[in-house]
């Protein structure tokens, strides 16, 4: 439920900003031409025009992962109940990844046909999954990227971050601080949104680093940086 709420909020924001093209499931030939134009404009804007990649994964491996890690404490009356529970999880995984496949893999059956082979079961035995977006290193900002990658996987944090709304506080004595943190939080929302549901293979964090007044060529302690960031975020949430 939390993940679906986050998905709805984030994708709405991305579409309002015109930064989320249609996924492969909705593409047509005309849309491909439009996406090429959009990719060119992205390339000029942030230096990254590559779309997210995807990989073909054996369904049996996914089934084993689901059974071992997601359903390991579940109890079933028989194997049919367990198979049904695994099938539901597999459908959930596929529904999450399907909108994130902007560059679909060539069907395995078509590859074999081109090579003079044919195996009709290949396509049914593999599932196409989207690979995560990466973060560009601005110089010595690996500590920043690692924090963002961890936070993007914390659904509680993501939900809290997207509950924040920017308000005009020009009447406040702390307006300058609020303006700076508003930029920090809004750019952080944009980065995490694109990491989870955006089309770009590589995301630039330059605007976020600039809002924090970070020196890109200076390494920082990750724990110290996280404490400082969370303290400032807590102050901003209290004022909002």
């Amino acid at each position: 439920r939390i993940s679906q709420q986050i998905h709805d909020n984030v994708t709405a924001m991305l579409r309002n900003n015109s930064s989320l093209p249609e996924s492969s499931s909705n593409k047509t030939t005309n849309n491909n031409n439009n996406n090429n134009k959009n990719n060119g404009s992205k390339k000029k804007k942030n230096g990254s025009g590559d779309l997210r990649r995807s990989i073909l994964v054996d369904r049996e491996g996914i089934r084993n992962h689901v059974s071992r890690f997601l359903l390991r404490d579940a109890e079933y009356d028989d194997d049919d109940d367990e198979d049904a529970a695994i099938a539901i999880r597999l459908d959930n995984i596929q529904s999450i990844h399907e909108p994130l496949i902007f560059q679909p893999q060539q069907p395995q059956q078509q590859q074999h046909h081109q090579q003079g082979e044919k195996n009709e079961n290949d396509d049914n035995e593999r599932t196409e999954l989207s690979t995560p977006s990466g973060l560009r290193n601005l110089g010595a900002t690996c500590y920043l990227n690692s924090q963002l990658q961890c936070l993007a996987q914390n659904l509680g944090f993501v939900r809290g971050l997207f509950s924040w709304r920017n308000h005009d506080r020009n009447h406040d004595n702390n307006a300058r601080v609020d303006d700076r943190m508003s930029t920090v939080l809004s750019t952080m929302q944009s980065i995490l949104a694109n990491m989870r549901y955006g089309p770009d293979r590589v995301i630039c964090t330059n605007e976020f680093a600039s809002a924090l007044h970070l020196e890109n060529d200076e390494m920082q302690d990750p724990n110290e940086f996280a404490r400082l960031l969370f303290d400032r975020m807590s102050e901003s949430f209290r004022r909002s």
Side-chain angles (χ1 to χ4, degrees), residues 115-167:
Q115 298 169 3
E117 304 174 4
K118 188 173 182 179
N119 186 345
E120 295 181 355
N121 294 324
D122 280 339
D123 291 341
N124 296 327
E125 294 174 353
R126 292 192 172 194
T127 297
E128 189 169 9
L129 301 180
S130 171
T131 58
S133 296
L135 298 174
R136 176 170 291 121
N137 193 333
L138 304 177
T141 56
C142 52
Y143 69 94
L144 172 64
N145 293 350
S146 63
Q147 290 287 342
L148 291 172
Q149 287 167 335
C150 290
L151 294 174
Q153 304 306 315
N154 187 324
L155 294 184
F157 177 86
V158 174
R159 182 177 60 172
L161 177 65
F162 280 90
S163 71
W164 176 85
R165 294 293 182 270
N166 191 7
H167 299 289

Side-chain angles (χ1 to χ4, degrees), residues 12 23 41 43 65 90 147 173 175 224 228 230:
S23 64
S41 63
K43 205 165 191 177
H65 176 86
L90 289 176
Q147 290 287 342
N173 292 331
E224 183 178 343
L228 178 62
F230 294 154

Side-chain angles (χ1 to χ4, degrees), residues 176-237:
R176 182 175 299 178
V177 175
D178 284 343
D179 287 344
R180 177 186 171 190
M181 284 308 300
S182 293
T183 303
V184 169
L185 291 173
S186 61
T187 53
M188 193 177 192
Q189 285 180 336
S190 178
I191 290 172
L192 265 62
N194 279 285
M195 287 176 67
R196 292 186 67 87
Y197 302 112
D200 290 329
R201 184 185 177 195
V202 179
I203 299 169
C204 185
T205 60
N206 189 55
E207 188 177 357
F208 182 63
S210 297
L212 289 170
H213 296 170
L214 299 177
E215 296 292 339
N216 293 341
D217 57 350
E218 291 184 8
M219 186 67 181
Q220 305 289 340
D221 179 82
N223 293 327
E224 183 178 343
F225 167 76
R227 285 195 296 269
L228 178 62
L229 176 62
F230 294 154
D231 286 345
R232 296 294 179 268
M233 289 179 65
S234 179
E235 293 172 5
S236 295
F237 271 78

